[in-house]
Amino acid sequence: MKRFLGRAFLVLMVILMYLPILVLAVYSFTDSANIGVIHGFSLKNYETLFTKPDLRAMIIGTIVLAVGSAFVSTILGTFGAVGVFYSGRFGNAVVGALNQVPVVNAEVVTAFSLCILLIGVCGVDKGSFISLLIGHVVLEAPFVYLSVVPKLKQMDNSLYEAALDLGASPAMALRRVVFPQIFPGVVSGFALAVTLSLDDYFITSYTKPATFDTISTYVVNATRGSQTEIKTALWALSTIIFVVVVLMVTLMNMSGNKNDKLDKNGKRAGAEDGKKR
C-alpha cells in the first residue's frame, strides 16, 4: 500500500507539473484565439512565429544573448571552480559561501543592484548591449560554478598529481586530465546558463536597451496588449522551447549514463587485471 501511494503521489505531481504545458502545446496547433474552446487543427501560430519580423528579431536576439552570456559564464564559472578547488579549505569555504549569495538572493534585488552599479556608478550606457551581457553573466556564472564543483569532488585528484610527476606542466595537466573528467559538469552548467538567460525577466528589463527584447520581456509586453495573433504565436514558441529543453535533458542523461557505464566497466576491468596479477 505504501508503494502504491508513493507511486500515485509521484504520478499526480508529474501530471500537475506537465499538464498545463501539454494543454498549451495542444492549443498551439489550433486556430483558437483563447484557451477553452478548440476549433480546428492549424499551423498558423507557427507560421506567424517565423514570418513576423519583430518575432524573428526577438528570437534571434534572445538566442545570441543566451549563448554568448552562457559561453562567458561557463568560462568564468569553470575556471573559478577549478581555482577554488585547488586553493585550500579556507578559500574553498569562503568562495563557496559567497557563491551561494547570488543564487539564494532575490533576482529583483540583483537587478536593482546591477542597475545602480553599472549605470549610476560605472557609467555604463543603459542603451548598450554590454550592461545586458554583464547582468546575465552575473546571474549565470554562480550556477555554472555549482555544476562544476561536484565533478571536481568526484575526480580522482591523484591523477592530476601523477601528471605533474610525469613531467606535465600545470596547464597541460588541467587540459589533459582535469577538464576531460569535469566536462559533463561544464556541459550541464552551460545548458543551465542558457536556460536561465532565456527565462530571466528582472535583470533583463533593468539592463537591456530600450529597443531590444528577449522572450521574457516580449511575452510580458505582449500579454498586456490586445494583439491576439501575437499571443497565440507565443503558444507555439513556448511549445518549441519545451521540446528543445526535453531533448537537451534527455541527451545529457543518456550521455551521463553512458559515461557511468564506461567508468564501471573500466573499474571492473582494472579489478580483474589486478586479481589476475
Side-chain angles (χ1 to χ4, degrees):
M1 180 59 70
K2 290 183 179 180
R3 184 180 300 176
F4 172 76
L5 292 176
R7 291 179 179 177
F9 179 77
L10 177 62
V11 171
L12 179 61
M13 290 298 101
V14 171
I15 292 175
L16 291 176
M17 286 190 296
Y18 291 101
L19 184 59
I21 302 176
L22 295 177
V23 171
L24 186 65
V26 170
Y27 274 90
S28 69
F29 289 100
T30 66
D31 56 1
S32 301
N34 296 299
I35 299 233
V37 179
I38 297 179
H39 295 292
F41 176 81
S42 175
L43 295 176
K44 181 181 178 181
N45 294 328
Y46 292 88
E47 180 182 354
T48 303
L49 180 64
F50 293 106
T51 55
K52 283 277 187 180
D54 55 338
L55 285 172
R56 282 206 313 269
M58 177 267 295
I59 294 172
I60 294 173
T62 302
I63 293 174
V64 171
L65 173 64
V67 174
S69 61
F71 180 76
V72 177
S73 301
T74 302
I75 294 176
L76 295 177
T78 301
F79 280 98
V82 172
V84 171
F85 182 75
Y86 289 105
S87 64
R89 292 184 178 180
F90 179 76
N92 199 338
V94 171
V95 177
L98 292 175
N99 187 77
Q100 296 287 344
V101 175
V103 174
V104 179
N105 190 28
E107 190 177 333
V108 65
V109 177
T110 304
F112 275 126
S113 304
L114 284 170
C115 186
I116 294 173
L117 177 64
L118 295 176
I119 300 170
V121 179
C122 299
V124 178
D125 186 10
K126 187 177 184 295
S128 68
F129 194 79
I130 297 176
S131 61
L132 180 60
L133 180 63
I134 293 175
H136 277 239
V137 170
V138 170
L139 172 68
E140 299 161 15
F143 290 92
V144 177
Y145 176 92
L146 292 177
S147 299
V148 176
V149 166
K151 293 298 179 181
L152 287 168
K153 293 181 178 180
Q154 295 173 6
M155 181 185 65
D156 187 359
N157 196 39
S158 60
L159 296 177
Y160 175 77
E161 297 175 355
L164 296 179
D165 293 338
L166 292 174
S169 64
M172 181 180 293
L174 286 174
R175 187 175 68 255
R176 296 287 184 87
V177 177
V178 176
F179 284 138
Q181 296 188 67
I182 66 173
F183 184 72
V186 175
V187 174
S188 300
F190 178 82
L192 181 59
V194 171
T195 304
L196 289 170
S197 178
L198 294 175
D199 183 62
D200 178 71
Y201 172 74
F202 287 106
I203 292 177
T204 303
S205 62
Y206 281 102
T207 58
K208 75 178 185 69
T211 58
F212 183 84
D213 269 317
T214 61
I215 292 175
S216 58
T217 58
Y218 191 93
V219 167
V220 172
N221 295 329
T223 52
R224 292 174 180 173
S226 58
Q227 295 180 337
T228 304
E229 187 180 23
I230 298 298
K231 291 180 182 179
T232 55
L234 294 176
W235 298 351
L237 179 60
S238 302
T239 303
I240 293 174
I241 293 174
F242 177 72
V243 172
V244 171
V245 170
V246 169
L247 291 176
M248 287 178 57
V249 172
T250 302
L251 292 175
M252 290 170 59
N253 288 336
M254 292 175 62
S255 176
N257 293 333
K258 186 181 295 185
N259 291 333
D260 291 341
K261 290 181 180 179
L262 292 175
D263 292 339
K264 290 180 181 179
N265 293 333
K267 291 180 180 178
R268 290 176 181 174
E272 291 178 357
D273 293 338
K275 291 180 180 179
K276 290 180 181 179
R277 291 177 183 178

